[in-house]
Amino acid sequence: MKRCVDKRIGFLLLTLFIVLLFLANLVYGSVDIPCKDVLSILLGGDSEREAWRLIVLETRLPQAFTALLTGAAISVAGLLLQTLFNNPLAGPEVLGINSGAGLGVAVVMLFMQGVLVAGGMGVTAYFAIFFGAFLGAAVVMAVILLLSSILRNKVLLLIVGVAVGYLASSLISVLNYFATSEGVHSYLVWGMGSFSAVSAAQLPLYAVPVLLLLAVALFMMKPLNALLLGDAYAHNLGVNVKQVRGVLLTVTGLLTAMVTAFCGPISFLGLAVPHIARLLFKTNNHHRLLPATMLTGASTALVCNLVCQLPGESGLLPLGAITPLIGAPVIIYVVLRNRGM
């Protein structure tokens, strides 16, 4: 009973932390806006300057929501892969899924002469980029799933995933060589990663599919727990392992494609955050671990977004330079703890 109460307190504190981080993302930025004016704008009141209202409602609010959703989405994708492959080092970036999605985006962006620029995409352009990202992610996942039935060694599977990632990166370099300067510039800007690429008008287009996919993941908590026991035990418990694998891979691919298409390649969060959630809540039970991973991922992404604002008026730090600072130490710790795997 006491342990259950402790878990509830942990969820409550984490939720409160997310609320505080969300508000901090609205207050802090390259333009100094007083807290009282930010709150007044959010509540529909007046502000001293109309520009402040536009900054808060059209820039900071969508950016904070995007960070929250992206952190939860990519972290859940990492947790699903770790459970699916029974490997603590599985993740969209390690298994090459991010690179596959990036290759799909590169094909679309570089061959459309750079007209698809982050932040300026219409609905048609978005669907083109999303389709490219999902197709690239799906191809890599299919290869990894096929190899996972052949290679029983976890380390070998990770090596193959890294090799696939390098192969995708090489193909992207070749595409860059033959692309126009506008296409290369657009892809480089996208490749830095950013939560600011989703405008207020595009936010529903991003939020609704992500929330639906997260809801599907929540409904898979019981089969995920069964998979922890192994395929044979899961089958004896009445779980259709093949069907569950198909659903999990589809959800993972769609989440990775959504995040990659809109925000660029987000590295390390999908791999590191599930382990942070395990350390915080000391559980492998997906009934608690999956919601904990969502909340931890959301809070971590909000922290990263705040760190990106540190230069202030001098500009923004690339998101791709910040996420490894949080994720890499966690990965090193996991490797050391599982060095005998």
Side-chain angles (χ1 to χ4, degrees):
M1 181 68 180
K2 182 180 178 181
R3 193 171 182 180
C4 183
V5 172
D6 290 342
K7 292 291 190 296
R8 290 177 182 176
I9 294 175
F11 278 112
L12 182 61
L13 291 176
L14 192 53
T15 302
L16 180 61
F17 185 51
I18 290 174
V19 172
L20 294 175
L21 285 173
F22 191 89
L23 292 175
N25 273 265
L26 299 181
V27 172
Y28 185 72
S30 57
V31 178
D32 187 20
I33 303 176
C35 294
K36 61 181 181 65
D37 286 278
V38 172
L39 292 175
S40 176
I41 292 170
L42 293 175
L43 296 174
D46 297 325
S47 64
E48 292 184 12
R49 302 179 187 177
E50 181 62 25
W52 288 355
R53 180 187 301 277
L54 293 175
I55 290 172
V56 172
L57 297 181
E58 298 296 325
T59 302
R60 293 185 184 177
L61 190 61
Q63 189 170 338
F65 271 118
T66 301
L68 188 149
L69 291 168
T70 300
I74 202 67
S75 301
V76 166
L79 176 61
L80 296 183
L81 287 173
Q82 289 170 14
T83 303
L84 185 63
F85 291 103
N86 190 26
N87 193 321
L89 294 178
E93 51 282 299
V94 176
L95 292 177
I97 298 173
N98 270 3
S99 299
L103 176 60
V105 172
V107 171
V108 174
M109 292 185 75
L110 297 178
F111 278 96
M112 295 193 72
Q113 308 300 318
V115 297
L116 306 180
V117 182
M121 296 189 298
V123 175
T124 304
Y126 154 68
F127 277 114
I129 287 183
F130 170 73
F131 178 75
F134 178 70
L135 189 60
V139 169
V140 172
M141 283 193 303
V143 172
I144 296 298
L145 185 62
L146 175 63
L147 293 176
S148 68
S149 62
I150 301 173
L151 301 173
R152 297 298 180 181
N153 189 298
K154 298 177 184 179
V155 177
L156 289 179
L157 185 61
L158 292 177
I159 293 173
V160 170
V162 172
V164 170
Y166 275 114
L167 176 61
S169 298
S170 298
L171 292 174
I172 290 171
S173 298
V174 173
L175 290 174
N176 273 312
Y177 180 81
F178 291 104
T180 62
S181 58
E182 293 84 0
V184 173
H185 176 73
S186 297
Y187 185 77
L188 288 177
V189 170
W190 171 86
M192 292 179 182
S194 175
F195 294 132
S196 62
V198 181
S199 65
Q202 293 170 341
L203 186 58
L205 196 63
Y206 180 65
V208 172
V210 168
L211 290 173
L212 288 175
L213 290 167
L214 291 177
V216 172
L218 287 172
F219 279 108
M220 300 296 292
M221 288 187 290
K222 185 176 179 180
L224 284 168
N225 280 338
L227 287 178
L228 290 176
L229 303 173
D231 290 355
Y233 282 101
H235 182 74
N236 290 334
L237 291 173
V239 175
N240 188 330
V241 175
K242 186 176 181 180
Q243 186 180 58
V244 168
R245 284 180 178 272
V247 172
L248 292 178
L249 284 174
T250 301
V251 171
T252 301
L254 288 172
L255 285 174
T256 304
M258 289 290 299
V259 169
T260 305
F262 269 105
C263 304
I266 308 296
S267 59
F268 287 98
L269 292 189
L271 176 57
V273 169
H275 293 292
I276 297 175
R278 289 187 183 97
L279 291 172
L280 290 175
F281 289 85
K282 302 185 187 308
T283 182
N284 284 315
N285 185 343
H286 286 80
H287 286 94
R288 291 189 292 269
L289 182 59
L290 190 55
T293 300
M294 287 185 186
L295 294 177
T296 306
S299 60
T300 304
L302 288 170
V303 169
C304 290
N305 194 48
L306 273 178
V307 175
C308 288
Q309 315 291 330
L310 285 179
E313 296 180 1
S314 301
L316 299 175
L317 292 172
L319 182 62
I322 302 303
T323 52
L325 297 178
I326 295 176
V330 177
I331 295 169
I332 293 171
Y333 169 77
V334 172
V335 170
L336 292 175
R337 192 177 66 173
N338 296 275
R339 57 186 180 275
M341 71 178 185

